[in-house]
Amino acid sequence: MKWFDTLNAFFLVLIGLSVLIPFVYITAVSFSPPSESLGGRFYLWPKEWSFAAYDYLFHARNFIRSLQNSVVITVLGTCVNLLISITLSYALSKRFVPGRRIALLFIFFTMIFHGGMIPSYLVVKSLGLIDSYWAIILPAATSAFNIMVIRTFFQSLPESLDEAARIDGAGEFRILLSVVLPLSKPIIATFALFFMVQYWNEFFSAIIYLNDSRDWPIQPLLRQMVAISASNISADAALDAQLAVSLGPNVQNAAILLAMLPIVAVYPFLQKYFAKGAMLGSIKE
């Protein structure tokens, strides 16, 4: 039906515009002078272009330090998450591993019951991880859902490949590195993107476990800039906050745009694996 295809395309265009317009607006505000952004004198295109917001951010110690913290947390967290999820899922996908069913039961139990915020905080504190990046990375190092999906994908691979490698004298780590991982690029790329987004957008754990604002990743700082108030920020950030207020919403929107760019820049490199990997492991053939 032609009319249905036309109507469907029309609605898809509207949905696309509804997603694109806020991004264009944020970009326009970030490149506008403070006088225009504060007065709201434009909608989607600034009358005068200005780089004052970006010049301020690239010279703001707090912002640069928060970006560096986010990069460290994201890289370490993604590597740790991939390492634990892949090795544990591979071991649980093998029927000959002793205690596999009991381990699966304990992992599945965590999908239904959770200790809660206070017990989690007490565990992190007892391990001496407060004011450390590891307080954000280790509690989220893996999840039952990730393990179940990756394990199901590993089980879908032909067992004849493992058997052939074992006949040639390969051990389990060799099989994992040389046989399984090259065939698992879609699922690994998909979960790597999930992990990167998870750690890059980390907010709640950072404000709970990191008492020093100098250790904050970018998301808590963004909240501070968007809902800025001189009464609820630390003394070392007061000067930056006053300057941000004087520059107006263009600084806030420029910070939001810069915080989005790393993930947006990584996605095209993983896109070819993402569509396939999002479905792989969801069902077992």
Side-chain angles (χ1 to χ4, degrees):
M1 300 181 188
K2 276 190 176 181
W3 65 269
F4 177 79
D5 293 339
T6 303
L7 187 64
N8 192 30
F10 175 74
F11 278 113
L12 289 176
V13 170
L14 287 181
I15 294 173
L17 288 176
S18 67
V19 175
L20 184 62
I21 287 176
F23 180 78
V24 174
Y25 177 77
I26 289 174
T27 305
V29 173
S30 69
F31 283 104
S32 66
S35 57
E36 288 192 12
S37 60
L38 286 170
R41 300 176 185 173
F42 67 91
Y43 293 97
L44 296 178
W45 196 262
K47 298 178 181 178
E48 180 183 349
W49 292 81
S50 172
F51 293 90
Y54 292 94
D55 182 65
Y56 162 69
L57 288 176
F58 287 133
H59 290 85
R61 291 174 301 171
N62 287 350
F63 185 79
I64 299 299
R65 185 166 53 234
S66 293
L67 279 179
Q68 293 173 344
N69 294 337
S70 288
V71 170
V72 173
I73 292 172
T74 301
V75 172
L76 283 178
T78 302
C79 292
V80 170
N81 223 317
L82 285 175
L83 177 64
I84 295 177
S85 299
I86 290 174
T87 52
L88 183 56
S89 300
Y90 176 76
L92 295 176
S93 67
K94 302 304 176 184
R95 299 177 181 176
F96 57 82
V97 174
R100 183 175 69 100
R101 292 184 178 275
I102 298 177
L104 285 172
L105 179 62
F106 281 116
I107 292 172
F108 182 74
F109 183 84
T110 63
M111 295 181 66
I112 305 175
F113 300 98
H114 188 267
M117 183 180 69
I118 296 177
S120 299
Y121 180 85
L122 294 176
V123 170
V124 171
K125 184 178 180 180
S126 64
L127 293 174
L129 299 178
I130 299 296
D131 287 329
S132 169
Y133 293 150
W134 295 108
I136 300 176
I137 295 171
L138 291 182
T142 189
S143 71
F145 174 78
N146 299 340
I147 293 171
M148 294 297 181
V149 174
I150 299 175
R151 167 182 169 270
T152 303
F153 173 79
F154 286 159
Q155 285 181 323
S156 68
L157 297 176
E159 293 185 4
S160 57
L161 296 175
D162 293 2
E163 294 172 358
R166 289 191 186 95
I167 292 174
D168 290 337
E172 293 301 325
F173 279 104
R174 183 67 177 177
I175 294 173
L176 176 62
L177 294 176
S178 302
V179 178
V180 176
L181 291 186
L183 298 174
S184 308
K185 289 181 182 178
I187 198 77
I188 293 174
T190 301
F191 277 95
L193 183 61
F194 288 161
F195 298 151
M196 284 188 287
V197 173
Q198 169 190 335
Y199 284 109
W200 185 262
N201 292 331
E202 188 58 63
F203 169 77
F204 190 68
S205 297
I207 62 176
I208 291 179
Y209 299 130
L210 302 179
N211 298 317
D212 193 345
S213 62
R214 291 176 296 181
D215 296 330
W216 281 357
I218 190 63
Q219 301 305 328
L221 184 66
L222 284 181
R223 177 191 175 277
Q224 185 185 74
M225 296 182 68
V226 172
I228 199 163
S229 171
S231 61
N232 61 7
I233 59 175
S234 58
D236 62 331
L239 182 61
D240 288 343
Q242 294 172 3
L243 186 53
V245 171
S246 67
L247 289 174
N250 54 340
V251 170
Q252 299 170 354
N253 286 273
I256 293 172
L257 189 63
L258 290 175
M260 291 190 300
L261 284 180
I263 299 299
V264 174
V266 169
Y267 179 74
F269 296 98
L270 302 178
Q271 184 180 10
K272 63 179 180 179
Y273 300 112
F274 186 79
K276 184 179 180 182
M279 295 299 297
L280 290 174
S282 59
I283 55 175
K284 182 180 178 181
E285 297 179 357

